[in-house]
Amino acid sequence: MMMSRIIEVLRGSGDQSAPGYGRVLQSGIDITHRVILYLEDITVSFDGFKALNRLTLSVDAGELRCVIGPNGAGKTTMMDVITGKTRPDAGMAYFGQTIDLTRLSEPQIAHAGIGRKFQKPTVFEHHSVFENLELAMKADKRVRRTLRARLSAEESDRIEATLRTVALALEADRPAGLLSHGQKQWLEIAMLLMQEPQLLLLDEPVAGMTDAETERTAELFASLAGKHSLIVVEHDMDFVARIARTVTVLHEGSVLAEGPMDAVQNDPRVIEVYLGR
């Protein structure tokens, strides 16, 4: 794959100046009231089936929120709405106080500061770990640079610091394809971090990991919370219990329950539709 094609894959496609799209504030996200993500009465239907049914949810800046629920509860569709992949039939979705996500394209939303990691890691396996982060940084549309430009000392330091954050500093020169499954997950998270997202959406991040990798991932997320806001969708209840302060339970496209893990685990409704199965 040519370097330019790799960058286009990372950047995504779409005309950010197309008419009808809202504007992204360049000065940052307005979190005057602490809320970084606000969804109200979001409804999405597919052929008459309501994947989301008046979903209302808010996440504070710096919060680590876990979202759980049975298959078909609407977790993936919720993330699709937040990232612009799916347009809601009704409802509001705001990033901070002023950015209307329903009026932005996927690339605009990524540019605004929302990063998404899917369950299956997607890295450039024939490139080194360090090069993967270099490519992610060059794909950041806020950085005006040519693809072949040499890294500055500051940029190299930033990549090295990010690799230390995700426990991959010793793997910097290793081809990404030789990493373990868990390490590939961390690498993809590091690639997202290079673009400095305010909000990270993480879909089943510990699926397929060893116990040691899962433990390290819990530590990583704890270290990222505060600097970033995180929404973690996960089925591993032990992992959720380890990292969560607030858990949101989705069922049939709506919020069934929300609160501390202990309260959610003992909620009869949650036991009936999810934990008890």
Side-chain angles (χ1 to χ4, degrees):
M1 182 181 291
M2 298 295 293
M3 180 75 74
S4 60
R5 176 56 183 155
I6 292 175
I7 297 295
E8 288 306 313
V9 169
L10 282 168
R11 283 180 173 170
S13 59
D15 181 1
Q16 295 194 48
S17 62
Y21 285 129
R23 290 190 175 184
V24 175
L25 296 182
Q26 300 300 316
S27 58
I29 309 302
D30 181 354
I31 52 171
T32 305
H33 300 294
R34 292 184 57 202
V35 175
I36 196 166
L37 178 72
Y38 178 68
L39 308 178
E40 181 178 328
D41 290 338
I42 293 291
T43 298
V44 175
S45 299
F46 298 114
D47 297 325
F49 170 74
K50 286 190 175 181
L52 294 178
N53 185 14
R54 303 192 67 182
L55 172 67
T56 296
L57 174 75
S58 65
V59 176
D60 287 344
E63 181 181 356
L64 194 168
R65 174 71 62 87
C66 288
V67 178
I68 64 174
N71 292 333
K75 303 183 296 296
T76 298
T77 305
M78 177 193 72
M79 291 193 290
D80 287 346
V81 168
I82 294 168
T83 56
K85 183 177 180 180
T86 295
R87 299 286 183 192
D89 302 321
M92 298 188 301
Y94 274 85
F95 186 40
Q97 300 296 306
T98 57
I99 299 178
D100 183 354
L101 296 176
T102 67
R103 295 180 59 82
L104 300 182
S105 65
E106 288 185 73
Q108 284 180 308
I109 289 173
H111 181 69
I114 296 179
R116 180 178 184 177
K117 191 208 159 310
F118 292 88
Q119 181 179 348
K120 183 178 179 181
T122 303
V123 300
F124 299 107
E125 297 198 345
H126 297 294
H127 290 267
S128 72
V129 169
F130 189 97
E131 288 170 340
N132 268 262
L133 267 62
E134 182 180 356
L135 288 166
M137 182 171 59
K138 289 180 178 179
D140 189 341
K141 291 185 176 180
R142 295 169 302 173
V143 180
R144 300 291 183 182
R145 57 178 297 127
T146 63
L147 304 184
R148 297 183 182 276
R150 294 178 62 87
L151 291 176
S152 67
E154 181 181 355
E155 289 169 333
S156 293
D157 289 346
R158 186 169 159 233
I159 290 175
E160 290 169 1
T162 303
L163 289 175
R164 288 194 295 272
T165 296
V166 299
L168 290 177
L170 297 179
E171 311 293 340
D173 297 325
R174 193 177 186 191
L178 299 181
L179 298 177
S180 70
H181 172 73
Q183 288 174 323
K184 288 179 181 177
Q185 298 277 34
W186 301 337
L187 175 56
E188 189 172 19
I189 291 171
M191 293 169 70
L192 287 176
L193 292 176
M194 292 306 299
Q195 300 190 33
E196 299 181 310
Q198 296 292 314
L199 174 63
L200 281 166
L201 308 180
L202 303 158
D203 189 5
E204 297 189 41
V206 299
M209 284 191 182
T210 65
D211 290 345
E213 289 171 338
T214 299
E215 180 82 9
R216 171 57 192 145
T217 302
E219 295 171 357
L220 171 61
F221 288 1
S223 73
L224 294 177
K227 302 173 189 174
H228 307 267
S229 306
L230 290 79
I231 296 178
V232 180
V233 172
E234 186 54 71
H235 287 291
D236 186 330
M237 289 300 98
D238 290 336
F239 180 74
V240 171
R242 170 76 188 272
I243 67 171
R245 292 187 177 180
T246 301
V247 178
T248 299
V249 185
L250 298 190
H251 179 56
E252 296 182 346
S254 302
V255 174
L256 176 67
E258 187 171 277
M261 185 62 173
D262 287 346
V264 166
Q265 283 181 313
N266 291 301
D267 188 312
R269 299 168 300 168
V270 178
I271 295 171
E272 179 183 357
V273 306
Y274 185 50
L275 298 178
R277 290 185 178 179

